[in-house]
Amino acid sequence: MKKILYLFIVCCLLITGCGMNKTASGAVTDYLELYTTLDSSVTDQLNEQLEKEEMTDEQKETYKEVMKKQYSSLNYEVINETINGNEAYVTVRVNVIDLYNSQQEAAKYFNEHKEEFNDEQGVYSKEKYMTYKLDRMKNETKTITHTIEFKAIKNGDIWEVTQLSTDDLEKIHGIYNSVE
C-alpha cells in the first residue's frame, strides 16, 4: 500500500508548476488545488499506478475512492511566505484524513485476530487483509493537521513549486507517521 502511494507521489511531482503564478504562494495554492479539484493529471496518475499493483479490481476501486476522498477533503491555509531573490519558502498548514491511523488500526487488529485473515485452507490471505485495510481507510473520519514548508523557485516571472520531501508528500496523502 505504501509502495502505491510513494510511486504515485513521485508521479504527481511532474505536475508542479502548471499555472502562470506571479507569486510563490500562488504556485503552492495551484499545486494543492490540483489535488482538491481532482484534476485529471492527479487522477490519471493514480489510475496508472493502480494498474501496476496486485489488487483485485474491487480493491483498486476502493483505493481510488479513498484517495479521491482524501484529496477532495484536503484543507489548507498559507501561513507564511518568505522570499529571498528567486527562492521562496511558503509555510502551509494542511488538514487531511488520517489514513496512517487507519493503517495502524488495521495492523493492530490483524495482530490480534490473525485467524480471521486466513483462507478456507487456514493459510494467510493477503487479499482478505488488503480488503479489510482498505475498508478501514475508506471509513476513516479522524483528521490530522501538518505543517509543510514548500520551496518555490522563480523561473522568469513564474513561480514553480520544487520537489517536496517524501515526509511532506506523505503529509498531503495522510500517511505520515507523526509520532516517530
Side-chain angles (χ1 to χ4, degrees), residues 92-115:
V92 177
R93 189 173 297 129
V94 297
N95 185 270
V96 295
I97 299 168
D98 192 358
L99 297 178
Y100 179 80
N101 180 65
S102 302
Q103 293 174 353
Q104 291 304 109
E105 291 295 320
K108 180 180 176 186
Y109 186 84
F110 169 77
N111 286 328
E112 295 170 356
H113 303 90
K114 289 182 181 182
E115 67 285 347

Side-chain angles (χ1 to χ4, degrees), residues 62-97:
T62 301
Y63 188 79
K64 278 193 255 187
E65 185 180 325
V66 167
M67 294 316 296
K68 285 180 177 182
K69 178 181 171 186
Q70 175 70 292
Y71 299 149
S72 63
S73 65
L74 178 136
N75 290 305
Y76 61 90
E77 176 185 9
V78 175
I79 303 300
N80 188 38
E81 177 185 74
T82 304
I83 299 174
N84 185 7
N86 289 335
E87 270 189 11
Y89 292 91
V90 180
T91 306
V92 177
R93 189 173 297 129
V94 297
N95 185 270
V96 295
I97 299 168

Side-chain angles (χ1 to χ4, degrees), residues 33-69:
E33 284 299 309
L34 292 173
Y35 288 101
T36 62
T37 62
L38 300 175
D39 185 85
S40 63
S41 60
V42 172
T43 57
D44 289 349
Q45 290 292 330
L46 176 59
N47 290 333
E48 286 176 28
Q49 284 309 125
L50 281 173
E51 287 306 312
K52 299 174 188 174
E53 296 302 319
E54 292 185 33
M55 291 180 169
T56 66
D57 289 342
E58 186 177 326
Q59 289 171 335
K60 288 178 183 181
E61 285 305 312
T62 301
Y63 188 79
K64 278 193 255 187
E65 185 180 325
V66 167
M67 294 316 296
K68 285 180 177 182
K69 178 181 171 186

